Amino acid sequence: MNKFMIENARLVDGRIVSIFVQNGVIQQVASSIKVDNETQVIHLDNESYVSAGWIDTHTHCFDKFELYADNCESIGYKKGVTTVIDAGTSGADNVDEFYDSVKNCKTHVYSLLNISKTGLYAQNELADMRHVDSDAFMQAYQKHPHFIIGVKARMSKSVVEESGDLPLFEALKIAEQTKLPLMVHIGTAPSKLETVLANIRSGDIVTHIFNPKTNGIIQDSHIKECVFDAYQRGVFFDLGHGTDSFSFDVLDKANQNDLKVHSISSDIYYRNRQNGPVYDLATTMSKLYRKGYDLKEVIACVTSHPAKMLNLSHLGRIEKGYCGEFTIFKIIHKNKELVDSTGKRIIVSEYIQPVAVIIRNEYIQLEEDC
Ligand SMILES: [Zn+2]
């Protein structure tokens, strides 16, 4: 499908357009487009929406480490996600192996390389500071400059143990040296949230921002001042749902304070995909869609925002010159129970469901239970 046109393409901004793609690149977006006989035409029904292909900013898809692992296709295009970002499952010692395992996948995969050269071989990959090796990181980055698009540091107690805040400062040095964005995972201190937010740079990313832990964004039922400061300074906030890191109550409090995430990500791996509470990116998106975010905001959080945050400048927009890959989805008007990481349940009357993707010049209808 080298040349194709999507007709009756309903965008989340309300426009209904035709989109013409050649050689994987969007050539034209207009209310109607004339094409030749060789162009494949995909005519969408009135219930379908089209967005740029979804990007999941925080996933785990290096299946070497069973602790946090999944298959990139199972969490990727089969769930309507054309690009997945692996958030630190691999480090410099094993990034070659990781790259080899995903380079032929249909889903596009990128790495935020763990500052621990071991990657997630165990829960405490930053307990031994000898694992943090900036030379090894730099060599890995020079070898895979198009695959490694950021730096990942998991700054919580079970990961850093006695290393305290040290890995954070090493991560910042590596991010400076490589000129890459840094994603910091927050959880139980150390590091304290205040320390992370005071030191992280504009353009860096904090993931697990709506976690329900004591070291989270709320204190005495107020959002901590340091959170507003970082937000205004241009630090990006990522959802990073995960098994333990998303609370409806924290989301509600953030909404009351007009504090919205820049990216909606799943932090998915096989256990929280199969047993919940994550299941997939669309389910994660639906939680925010029914709680304070309109459809346009939700879609921006999985398209244009992550593309900007991670310098994926060819992705995220339906405009001339951008990547011709798309997610086609519907709003299903049916009741569905959604659960957060604390076990809190809500019943929603509408949810987002991907029905097809266009990836690598191929139109793929998704299975019903996606
Ligand atoms: Zn993660």
Side-chain angles (χ1 to χ4, degrees):
M1 206 169 74
N2 189 39
K3 275 204 288 188
F4 64 90
M5 177 174 68
I6 311 174
E7 250 184 2
N8 199 35
R10 179 186 297 270
L11 310 182
V12 290
D13 63 10
R15 284 182 296 156
I16 295 174
V17 296
S18 294
I19 305 165
F20 175 59
V21 175
Q22 190 167 13
N23 299 326
V25 177
I26 299 173
Q27 306 292 333
Q28 199 183 350
V29 182
S31 52
S32 78
I33 301 173
K34 278 212 171 73
V35 290
D36 61 24
N37 289 337
E38 288 157 26
T39 302
Q40 189 158 342
V41 176
I42 299 159
H43 187 91
L44 298 183
D45 62 36
N46 292 337
E47 281 76 51
S48 293
Y49 285 90
V50 184
S51 70
W54 293 349
I55 304 166
D56 192 340
T57 307
H58 183 159
T59 72
H60 293 280
C61 56
F62 180 26
D63 50 18
K64 182 184 177 74
F65 296 131
E66 283 187 15
L67 188 59
Y68 300 109
D70 211 328
N71 173 275
C72 65
E73 312 290 34
S74 306
I75 61 174
Y77 85 90
K78 291 181 182 173
K79 297 288 190 176
V81 181
T82 51
T83 301
V84 298
I85 315 297
D86 180 273
T89 321
S90 85
D93 281 354
N94 39 51
V95 68
D96 290 349
E97 198 182 335
F98 177 36
Y99 178 71
D100 283 343
S101 72
V102 296
K103 68 182 179 193
N104 296 321
C105 291
K106 203 181 286 287
T107 306
H108 301 274
V109 180
Y110 294 98
S111 163
L112 304 179
L113 196 69
N114 201 311
I115 60 164
S116 171
K117 62 185 180 182
T118 60
L120 290 180
Y121 79 107
Q123 179 62 29
N124 61 348
E125 82 270 13
L126 293 174
D128 184 344
M129 284 303 288
R130 287 172 302 182
H131 292 161
V132 182
D133 180 340
S134 57
D135 291 340
F137 192 105
M138 188 54 97
Q139 279 164 23
Y141 177 47
Q142 280 163 353
K143 193 165 175 194
H144 300 283
H146 302 294
F147 182 56
I148 297 171
I149 59 168
V151 181
K152 177 77 191 288
R154 299 201 308 143
M155 294 306 303
S156 55
K157 192 175 182 206
S158 58
V159 181
V160 300
E161 296 183 350
E162 301 306 312
S163 301
D165 295 328
L166 269 181
L168 174 66
F169 297 114
E170 289 303 313
L172 284 160
K173 275 189 219 159
I174 291 171
E176 276 299 326
Q177 269 171 17
T178 51
K179 298 190 169 49
L180 288 173
L182 168 65
M183 178 188 273
V184 176
H185 138 139
I186 54 169
T188 302
S191 285
K192 286 185 76 177
L193 180 69
E194 287 80 352
T195 309
V196 171
L197 294 181
N199 286 286
I200 200 169
R201 307 165 306 167
S202 307
D204 286 335
I205 304 159
V206 180
T207 188
H208 306 315
I209 196 72
F210 293 158
N211 78 68
K213 295 165 192 168
T214 319
N215 191 37
I217 64 170
I218 295 175
Q219 190 163 30
D220 304 328
S221 69
H222 292 288
I223 306 251
K224 295 173 182 169
E225 212 44 55
C226 63
V227 178
F228 293 111
D229 291 347
Y231 198 68
Q232 276 151 20
R233 209 157 54 74
V235 171
F236 293 124
F237 288 175
D238 175 58
L239 190 75
H241 188 314
T243 307
D244 300 317
S245 301
F246 172 65
S247 151
F248 285 131
D249 291 345
V250 178
L251 169 67
D252 286 342
K253 181 60 77 178
N255 282 341
Q256 287 160 20
N257 287 276
D258 292 324
L259 200 70
K260 291 196 165 173
V261 288
H262 300 94
S263 52
I264 298 174
S265 67
S266 62
D267 187 15
I268 199 165
Y269 46 88
Y270 73 97
R271 288 192 308 279
N272 68 28
R273 169 165 64 88
Q274 284 167 355
N275 308 326
V278 175
Y279 300 108
D280 54 28
L281 184 63
T283 304
T284 307
M285 292 157 65
S286 296
K287 292 173 188 177
L288 281 78
Y289 175 55
R290 298 320 293 152
K291 273 188 164 285
Y293 290 58
D294 64 29
L295 189 59
K296 203 173 155 184
E297 288 175 310
V298 168
I299 295 303
C301 286
V302 296
T303 55
S304 56
H305 291 181
K308 180 180 166 202
M309 291 155 61
L310 297 165
N311 302 312
L312 297 168
S313 55
H314 59 302
L315 299 182
R317 291 183 182 274
I318 298 184
E319 287 172 23
K320 187 178 176 193
Y322 280 78
C323 179
E325 298 196 336
F326 307 90
T327 302
I328 296 155
F329 62 96
K330 291 186 178 181
I331 303 297
I332 308 293
H333 297 266
K334 249 196 234 172
N335 283 357
K336 184 171 180 167
E337 188 181 71
L338 300 175
V339 59
D340 72 4
S341 298
T342 71
K344 185 166 182 166
R345 288 163 195 280
I346 60 168
I347 306 281
V348 297
S349 57
E350 288 177 27
Y351 58 92
I352 299 166
Q353 179 152 320
V355 293
V357 288
I358 298 173
I359 184 167
R360 300 188 194 271
N361 294 317
E362 194 184 345
Y363 176 90
I364 302 171
Q365 194 86 38
L366 302 179
E367 308 218 348
E368 268 294 296
D369 67 343
C370 270

